[in-house]
Amino acid sequence: MGESLLVSSRFIDRVKVYLKAGDGGRGCVAFRREKYVPFGGPAGGDGGDGGDIIFRVDPGLNTLLDFKYHPHLKAQNGRPGEGDKRAGKRGEDLIVRVPPGTVVRDLDTGEIIADLVAENQEAIIAKGGKGGRGNAHFATSVDRAPRKYEEGTPGQERRVELELKSIADVGLVGFPNAGKSTLLRAISNATPEVAPYPFTTLTPHLGTVEHGDFKFVVADIPGLIRGASEGKGLGHEFLRHIERTFILLYVVDIHGFEGDALGDFVDVRNEVLSYSESMKKKASLVAINKIDLAEPEKVNEVKEALEDISGTLVFPISAEKKIGLGELIQGLARILTDKKKDF
Ligand SMILES: Nc1nc2c(ncn2[C@@H]2O[C@H](COP(=O)(O)OP(=O)(O)OP(=O)(O)O)[C@@H](O)[C@H]2O)c(=O)[nH]1
Ligand SMILES: [Mg+2]
């Protein structure tokens, strides 16, 4: 993924977190106890290693709020070594769940330690200490009963800053074949596949749109069908990806998926809004696409009807012939700049 997951640098959520990985356990000084042998050979086991602090992406999360309340995280120490050359138990790792789009930066060096985006992606953020060696390691020909041992090394202590970056600013939603991917290609640097049949796009694509010195990220997801919010088709899996966008851009084919552009819009909007509460709070715009294939009267008629139903701005465009794209980009940029002021 890496490169393809361009993220916008705005609309962020930041939190400072203090980490302490587990210390290594100390090595043990012990001797074998055998009858008639006051000092058997050295038998002190090694200390266990300290636990690591590991961050793991959980797509079910979408905020860093938990860390505001629990800014101190600690992994378990390793146990000391024991007699009979028994090693101490390793400290347990602390697995910390973070939302996709979490960037982890070392506060002291400024270095980015991890950029966590993909489901179940993991990174060790603070490394546990090593267990010390027990005296069993230190016998020599001159010292058969050494009392020497090592302390464990301390677990890494680290101050980090977590930053949650929006995966995208704008999410494209619409029926299959409406021209979402064509639109993303036309306005951004992304090159998703385009084809004259439904379900061409199978995974989300992100593209950066440049509008003067203002940049924003648009996500193209697979087409939605009726019942998507209950898990039908591919849609449900991907609605998740637009939960964190600021704007929903409905893309409607002027001739409709099956001849009814207005019905398409209503159905897609129902699917999106019944997916989750957060969808209801988003700004939305509508693009009527493929106007190069319709008479101007028809375009006007559909535009007015969609304005009535949607209560928002409607932009007639042709993604393929690049008509009306400047106005659309401006409309998106205007909403995003307004949003930015609220942060
Ligand atoms: N004439 C015309 N054709 C278009 C326009 N936009 C897209 N198309 C065509 O419509 C078909 C579908 O376009 P896509 O961009 O793949 O549609 P999509 O919405 O991404 O489809 P899914 O990925 O299946 O959901 C392709 O054959 C495009 O060439 C347009 O503005 N005018
Ligand atoms: Mg597509």
Side-chain angles (χ1 to χ4, degrees), residues 186-214:
I187 62 176
S188 80
N189 59 342
T191 54
E193 195 185 340
V194 166
Y197 45 78
F199 299 116
T200 304
T201 303
L202 299 176
T203 56
H205 289 264
L206 299 181
T208 305
V209 179
E210 300 199 12
H211 178 64
D213 55 6
F214 187 71

Side-chain angles (χ1 to χ4, degrees), residues 194-258:
V194 166
Y197 45 78
F199 299 116
T200 304
T201 303
L202 299 176
T203 56
H205 289 264
L206 299 181
T208 305
V209 179
E210 300 199 12
H211 178 64
D213 55 6
F214 187 71
K215 284 186 190 176
F216 58 93
V217 178
V218 177
D220 171 29
I221 64 169
L224 300 171
I225 57 171
R226 292 180 185 85
S229 59
E230 291 134 39
K232 289 222 181 86
L234 295 161
H236 190 264
E237 169 66 16
F238 297 105
L239 280 171
R240 192 162 56 66
H241 291 271
I242 53 167
E243 268 215 289
R244 273 174 48 201
T245 63
F246 287 86
I247 305 181
L248 296 172
L249 176 56
Y250 291 93
V251 182
V252 182
D253 184 329
I254 179 120
H255 293 304
F257 188 58
E258 285 166 336

Side-chain angles (χ1 to χ4, degrees), residues 176-182 195-196 198-201 223 289-290 292 318-320:
N177 219 42
K180 301 177 292 300
S181 302
T182 309
F199 299 116
T200 304
T201 303
N289 190 30
K290 308 195 189 181
D292 56 294
S318 166
E320 195 165 278

Side-chain angles (χ1 to χ4, degrees), residues 77 79 109 132 152 196-197 258 299 303 306 321 326 335:
N77 294 337
R79 301 285 307 158
T109 65
Y197 45 78
E258 285 166 336
V299 174
K303 178 173 186 278
L306 276 174
K321 301 281 189 292
I335 297 181

Side-chain angles (χ1 to χ4, degrees), residues 28 62 148 170 237 253 269 298 318:
C28 169
N62 56 16
K148 190 171 167 197
V170 179
E237 169 66 16
D253 184 329
R269 186 176 57 178
K298 165 89 175 170
S318 166

